[in-house]
Amino acid sequence: MRTDSPQTIYRKNYTPPSFLVESVELGFDLDPARTIVANRIKLVRNRDGKHSDIELHGEHIELVGVRMNGKRLKPGQYTLSEHGLTIRKAPAKVTLDIETVLAPQENTSLSGLYVSNGNFFTQCEAEGFRRITFFPDRPDVMAKYTVMLRADKEKFPVLLSNGNLIEQGELGDGRHYAKWEDPFKKPSYLFALVAARLVCQEERYTLQSGREVLLQVWVEEGNLDKTDYAMQSLKNSIRWDEQRFGLELDLDRFMIVAVGDFNMGAMENKGLNIFNTKYVLANPRVATDVDYAGIEAVVGHEYFHNWTGNRVTCRDWFQLSLKEGLTVFRDQEFSADMIGTDTGRAVTRIDQVRTLRQAQFPEDAGPMAHPVRPDSFVEINNFYTVTIYEKGAEVVRMMQTLVGRDGFRKGMDLYFARHDGQAVQCDDFRAAMADANGRDLKQFERWYSQAGTPVVKAVTQYDAAAQTYHITLAQSCPDTPGQTAKLPFHIPVAVGLLGADGKDLPLYTDGAAGQGTVVLELTEATQTFHFSGVAQRPTPSLLRDFSAPVVLDYDYSDAELLHLFSHDSDPVNRWEAGQRLAMARLLKLTADVGAGAPLALDATFIAAQRALLTDATLDAAFRELALILPSETIIAERMEVVDPQAIHTARQFMRRSIAAALKPELLAQYQANQTPGAYSPDAQSAGKRALKNLALAYLLIAPQAAELELAQRQFDAADNMTDRAAALAALIHSGAPDGAASALKSYFADFEHEALVIDKWFAMQAGAPGTDVAAVRKLMTHPAFTLKNPNRARSLIFNFCGGNPSQFHAADGSGYAFWAEQVIALDALNPQVAARLARSMDRWRRYVPALQAHMKAALERVAGSASLSNDVLEVVSKALAN
Ligand code: TRP
Ligand code: ZN
């Protein structure tokens, strides 16, 4: 058991830095076993700072020596702790020369300077720079950097850092050097270097202003056939930010580098974005449609950070959503605009809603719930969450809904006019939006300060004689750790009213007249909105386009939902009506499983599914999404007491019933949505493949020889990974004895040297309901498995613990024991990744008592283990806290 208790850091305790940094000159002598870092920093006292001590962070590095204004400091003149170095009562202007030594090849945490497949990479966000040298490693200290890299030329022919290359040459002894200068001030978390044997695809690109820039995508030698899409996405991102927000690339050179060992998706280091290979490498043979979409989104995301994150950065890490929420919103809009059609846009929106329900709502209702702008944390790495990112993006989106698209652009312009080059707070963004539009967004601040998912309860009333319609909205928000008695939020609720013919009625409200949709602004605990001139009893379409991240509680009848499902002009609510129809039945079926009652699915629901599946006027992508049933996790969130086996049985029953009833239609859609010709990842084709492969999955629920053959044929004939992987997954999930064995074998043999494809091989097996703990343990002994590579660990272990509920929650607790073992093993290597796995137990208190007991024991086992990281300790102790 750990004896020291980790420190909680509070937002309210923020103090400005005592010293600011004018310039940084870094010199690296790169050696995997022993890298020497020379660091010259020019510091000036900050007049806002409270004292004259220089406080430098530093962790896991060895100090060789430090000089102040040229004089070597003796040990008594500074204090060195586990966390850093302090020089007491320093003069107002100081030059420090600091030399440190580190061992990158021993660094398994992938934070700081590390080695991956023989190459050097850095990851400094959030607090990794302090693992490289002593420095005031906080985002409100922005400085100009010059970086000299020296390394063996044979092993590390490519030497990269932020900004512009200003000099390079030979050192004589087989070593060479490169000197880089970043013209922009930046916080230390945006520092990066790469020293590696890599090759690049490069291109000169002309900005709208006419200026020419150099774009590069760097990868390992064998991967040059997989860089086109990332390059295309980068060019699209540059163009989009010019057009939509008037923001231009501010450097002459922009680089993307792919690395196979990476804790997250990618990192926006100034001019030198470093990416998980997963979000760079693609060609039709190895990448799926989903992978392509992920690359576009993440390339966009990191590129957009150049303005929202880098030019304007965060004052402190509590403001993380200032850059992340805004940048996710920007990448979401980018992806939607790249598709361009209204339904395409809606499809991306539905995906976002699914992510919120699958991951953010549970987080917001669990022990790690925190506001979009947290008040405290133990380990900042634990706060790169769906709340900061996705809910943060929803908060930005609501502001756009409130001030309109043009108003939003005005707010962005004002934000940059005010804060370019600064480290600011979430409030500054909100203020820019409010001031640019003359709007009062004071109450809106609660979206940043109050955690929890609000519930909006709607009640409607129609008066036929007066032709009036009233919608009463009442809001509430559950308690979350440390927060009770929440105050009302400012919630935009987009509403339309459907007539009997399914068309939108004209709207006449107190405030406004609208064609199809009006945005009601709910600011009180309860508020009634009046509509006049309503000639017939309407069907309300509430919260169109998911206009706020809330749970909408309205007592819809089946008839109303069926009406919306077939006619709503808002595709998101059309989808939503289908989800509600399915959810009501899934909850009933789950209860019936629990009670041992017979299970049945009504013909009305089947008929609605049939109508949707066969409606050729609808985009394939939309039909596919609308046919996906709410996940087991989303169903669980709707229950007081969760019985994962009952949920699984109920959902499987529903899937089997649909498959049995719609077999001819499924087969017809399978044939109708083929995509002959050369593979293209465009939204139309991807949508067709998605629908076709959903049909295939349904056809393989209880397969006969013909269906197995169909899947096998697709597997063998596929000229792209989307179809190959879908066929393999269908075979695995079919549970047919040995249905998948030979396909699994040939897939592995064909792609043995494609790490990302082997990740899929593990992931597909880990998530299949037929894969139990014993099978996962067996897969861990496969020579291709390693805990050290985060992508591989995620593919098998995370996909089992988080994506295979019926096996993970095995009645004997063996899934939880496995989880505890893996959290502890991973923590010794990589605390950030371990802490993410630890989160899979967040919702343990909601399970049936027998499972709860096993879960608690597993949590206690982790909490009680020796030398636990702060990362994991924070997660498990919050889970166990009352
Ligand atoms: N800023 C990165 C992004 O959202 C996130 C990130 C990448 C990160 N690597 C990390 C965060 C390591 C913490 C630790 O684009
Ligand atoms: Zn980001």
Side-chain angles (χ1 to χ4, degrees):
M1 176 81 95
R2 259 178 71 143
T3 46
D4 63 322
S5 49
Q7 240 196 8
T8 300
I9 300 159
Y10 295 92
R11 182 167 58 87
K12 64 176 193 302
N13 291 345
Y14 172 85
T15 52
S18 56
F19 277 77
L20 299 175
V21 178
E22 282 192 331
S23 66
V24 190
E25 290 166 67
L26 296 171
F28 287 85
D29 272 292
L30 292 157
D31 180 317
R34 188 183 154 82
T35 289
I36 301 166
V37 184
N39 168 13
R40 169 171 293 178
I41 351 175
K42 294 210 163 89
L43 297 135
V44 265
R45 255 194 83 174
N46 178 12
R47 57 188 160 76
D48 299 333
K50 288 223 166 59
H51 50 75
S52 54
D53 299 349
I54 298 176
E55 291 167 332
L56 307 177
H57 302 101
E59 282 171 6
H60 307 285
I61 47 178
E62 188 190 318
L63 180 66
V64 177
V66 49
R67 290 170 181 275
M68 183 159 78
N69 295 332
K71 289 213 191 75
R72 182 164 286 277
L73 291 184
K74 300 193 195 79
Q77 294 173 286
Y78 60 89
T79 47
L80 193 58
S81 79
E82 230 188 303
H83 302 293
L85 190 161
T86 306
I87 301 170
R88 310 263 295 169
K89 301 223 165 55
K93 250 175 130 57
V94 178
T95 299
L96 292 179
D97 283 287
I98 303 169
E99 194 174 309
T100 48
V101 173
L102 46 145
Q105 72 185 16
E106 310 298 324
N107 181 356
T108 57
S109 71
L110 312 184
S111 166
L113 176 65
Y114 65 95
V115 175
S116 168
N117 204 16
N119 294 323
F120 288 103
F121 298 90
T122 54
Q123 171 55 43
C124 291
E125 187 176 7
E127 298 179 336
F129 193 69
R130 64 188 64 183
R131 291 166 178 239
I132 295 173
T133 185
F134 289 93
F135 197 81
D137 188 15
R138 39 187 290 172
D140 55 353
V141 173
M142 297 172 82
K144 281 200 173 184
Y145 286 64
T146 310
V147 180
M148 172 68 104
L149 305 173
R150 294 181 208 88
D152 185 280
K153 189 173 182 182
E154 176 73 24
K155 293 197 185 103
F156 309 105
V158 177
L159 303 175
L160 309 174
S161 191
N162 315 86
N164 301 315
L165 177 65
I166 54 172
E167 210 184 307
Q168 61 184 328
E170 309 292 325
L171 290 166
D173 51 353
R175 292 166 73 77
H176 68 149
Y177 74 91
K179 194 172 179 185
W180 292 80
E181 191 179 68
D182 185 348
F184 293 94
K185 284 180 128 196
K186 66 167 173 286
S188 50
Y189 81 87
L190 291 174
F191 166 79
L193 77 79
V194 173
R197 171 169 290 286
L198 297 175
V199 290
C200 80
Q201 174 179 351
E202 65 179 355
E203 196 170 320
R204 293 196 178 276
Y205 188 66
T206 308
L207 305 180
Q208 240 166 29
S209 65
R211 188 159 60 84
E212 209 178 70
V213 294
L214 177 65
L215 308 179
Q216 296 179 319
V217 180
W218 291 90
V219 297
E220 283 180 14
E221 192 139 30
N223 286 329
L224 217 43
D225 61 342
K226 306 186 191 76
T227 52
D228 282 352
Y229 199 70
M231 180 62 91
Q232 188 56 51
S233 299
L234 178 58
K235 290 187 285 182
N236 292 345
S237 304
I238 293 172
R239 195 58 89 230
W240 183 84
D241 220 8
E242 290 175 335
Q243 291 175 346
R244 174 95 181 245
F245 288 111
L247 297 171
E248 184 178 80
L249 175 58
D250 55 10
L251 292 163
D252 297 329
R253 178 178 182 136
F254 192 88
M255 298 171 279
I256 287 177
V257 183
V259 55
D261 296 284
F262 202 71
N263 282 346
M264 308 264 286
M267 179 64 212
E268 69 264 25
N269 316 300
K270 185 82 188 185
L272 180 58
N273 288 356
I274 297 183
F275 274 60
N276 189 324
T277 44
K278 180 173 165 56
Y279 294 108
V280 176
L281 303 181
N283 64 28
R285 199 176 94 86
V286 300
T288 63
D289 294 331
V290 173
D291 294 329
Y292 276 90
I295 290 168
E296 178 176 80
V298 177
V299 167
H301 182 95
E302 305 313 328
Y303 176 75
F304 302 142
H305 266 315
N306 192 49
W307 279 95
T308 50
N310 302 2
R311 288 288 288 254
V312 183
T313 195
C314 303
R315 186 192 73 167
D316 54 71
W317 292 119
F318 298 104
Q319 318 297 329
L320 181 58
S321 197
L322 171 73
K323 76 176 176 82
E324 294 304 346
L326 177 54
T327 304
V328 170
F329 171 74
R330 275 151 56 69
D331 85 55
Q332 290 174 348
E333 288 293 280
F334 166 60
S335 293
D337 286 346
M338 291 315 288
I339 302 179
T341 64
D342 282 351
T343 27
R345 190 163 256 288
V347 163
T348 64
R349 186 72 190 130
I350 291 166
D351 252 335
Q352 293 152 20
V353 178
R354 290 175 64 201
T355 304
L356 283 168
R357 290 198 178 134
Q358 175 76 22
Q360 201 281 322
F361 286 11
E363 177 166 275
D364 233 351
M368 279 289 288
H370 53 276
V372 167
R373 183 193 56 209
D375 292 317
S376 68
F377 58 72
V378 172
E379 173 51 64
I380 181 57
N381 286 319
N382 285 333
F383 284 78
Y384 286 76
T385 59
V386 271
T387 298
I388 301 295
Y389 277 66
E390 270 71 24
K391 187 177 183 179
E394 291 299 312
V395 170
V396 171
R397 182 177 295 278
M398 284 189 285
M399 284 193 254
Q400 180 176 261
T401 302
L402 290 171
V403 303
R405 227 188 208 243
D406 294 342
F408 189 80
R409 170 65 195 269
K410 279 192 215 150
M412 286 284 277
D413 291 349
L414 184 59
Y415 175 63
F416 292 116
R418 282 180 178 172
H419 301 298
D420 188 13
Q422 299 176 7
V424 302
Q425 303 182 63
C426 297
D427 280 342
D428 294 309
F429 182 78
R430 188 171 48 84
M433 278 296 150
D435 295 350
N437 290 284
R439 287 245 7 190
D440 180 357
L441 294 177
K442 202 160 161 20
Q443 185 183 352
F444 193 84
E445 197 261 344
R446 290 177 191 154
W447 283 109
Y448 286 97
S449 59
Q450 298 186 147
T453 306
V455 178
V456 174
K457 190 170 169 47
V459 176
T460 58
Q461 199 193 346
Y462 179 63
D463 184 334
Q467 302 214 336
T468 58
Y469 190 65
H470 306 291
I471 302 179
T472 300
L473 301 175
Q475 59 167 308
S476 60
C477 183
D479 291 350
T480 47
Q483 289 190 339
T484 53
K486 316 267 166 108
L487 298 167
F489 292 86
H490 183 171
I491 306 177
V493 182
V495 170
L497 302 178
L498 271 69
D501 62 356
K503 299 228 162 63
D504 281 333
L505 300 175
L507 302 174
Y508 310 98
T509 64
D510 322 309
Q515 252 325 302
T517 304
V518 286
V519 177
L520 308 177
E521 295 191 25
L522 174 62
T523 53
E524 313 283 325
T526 305
Q527 237 167 303
T528 299
F529 300 87
H530 308 276
F531 295 81
S532 55
V534 185
Q536 50 172 302
R537 176 183 294 277
T539 303
S541 172
L542 304 167
L543 205 71
R544 278 186 161 172
D545 204 39
F546 205 66
S547 60
V550 302
V551 172
L552 173 72
D553 178 1
Y554 180 69
D555 193 12
Y556 277 114
S557 69
D558 257 17
E560 287 172 311
L561 289 174
L562 289 164
H563 193 56
L564 294 169
F565 192 47
S566 354
H567 300 294
D568 201 325
S569 65
D570 176 51
V572 174
N573 263 4
R574 223 177 143 170
W575 165 79
E576 177 72 348
Q579 296 292 296
R580 282 177 189 268
L581 286 166
M583 182 61 89
R585 285 155 178 84
L586 286 162
L587 292 173
K588 166 83 167 54
L589 286 166
T590 304
D592 287 347
V593 173
L599 305 182
L601 187 59
D602 56 299
T604 316
F605 182 73
I606 301 268
Q609 297 277 305
R610 176 181 290 114
L612 174 77
L613 173 63
T614 55
D615 185 346
T617 67
L618 291 170
D619 268 17
F622 177 81
R623 282 188 277 160
E624 190 258 350
L625 274 179
L627 285 163
I628 298 176
L629 303 175
S631 72
E632 291 174 30
T633 303
I634 291 177
I635 302 167
E637 283 301 309
R638 291 287 306 272
M639 302 182 63
E640 290 282 311
V641 178
V642 179
D643 176 352
Q645 307 306 334
I647 293 174
H648 181 69
T649 305
R651 190 170 182 277
Q652 286 301 97
F653 169 80
M654 187 182 261
R655 282 169 50 79
R656 240 184 303 119
S657 311
I658 294 169
L662 301 184
K663 193 167 164 181
E665 289 87 350
L666 287 163
L667 198 55
Q669 291 303 319
Y670 179 81
Q671 305 300 359
N673 287 283
Q674 300 287 325
T675 48
Y679 171 88
S680 151
D682 69 273
Q684 280 285 332
S685 320
K688 285 189 173 179
R689 277 188 292 273
L691 182 57
K692 173 193 71 185
N693 287 325
L694 177 102
L696 182 67
Y698 265 114
L699 290 166
L700 267 89
I701 286 176
Q704 291 175 332
E707 284 82 35
L708 287 167
E709 223 180 279
L710 193 67
Q712 187 67 47
R713 218 178 316 129
Q714 174 170 324
F715 179 81
D716 293 334
D719 69 347
N720 66 80
M721 183 50 71
T722 306
D723 286 339
R724 191 179 308 277
L728 180 55
L731 286 167
I732 296 171
H733 282 252
S734 76
D738 293 329
S742 74
L744 275 168
K745 217 172 143 197
S746 76
Y747 178 103
F748 190 91
D750 286 350
F751 297 104
E752 198 172 353
H753 304 295
E754 299 285 358
L756 297 169
V757 182
I758 298 304
D759 288 338
K760 297 184 205 302
W761 186 84
F762 280 108
M764 281 186 260
Q765 297 180 74
T771 304
D772 60 11
V773 188
V776 175
R777 287 187 187 279
K778 178 139 182 276
L779 281 167
M780 284 185 72
T781 67
H782 192 286
F785 185 78
T786 169
L787 263 189
K788 284 195 180 146
N789 175 260
N791 286 358
R792 194 55 51 87
R794 285 187 277 256
S795 72
L796 182 57
I797 296 170
F798 286 52
N799 274 310
F800 178 73
C801 295
N804 194 346
S806 66
Q807 292 290 357
F808 178 61
H809 296 285
D812 60 1
S814 55
Y816 312 142
F818 172 76
W819 165 88
E821 257 173 60
Q822 301 314 320
V823 170
I824 292 167
L826 264 172
D827 196 39
L829 295 167
N830 188 328
Q832 280 182 41
V833 174
R836 285 196 186 257
L837 180 61
R839 295 286 309 273
S840 29
M841 214 63 112
D842 269 12
R843 302 292 274 146
W844 70 278
R845 282 180 205 277
R846 307 186 64 253
Y847 285 83
V848 290
L851 292 179
Q852 261 191 51
H854 287 305
M855 293 171 115
K856 186 166 187 228
L859 278 161
E860 283 170 344
R861 180 169 154 207
V862 172
S865 98
S867 67
L868 213 54
S869 69
N870 278 349
D871 307 58
V872 170
L873 193 61
E874 176 173 33
V875 171
V876 294
S877 44
K878 283 182 176 168
L880 285 166
N882 276 313

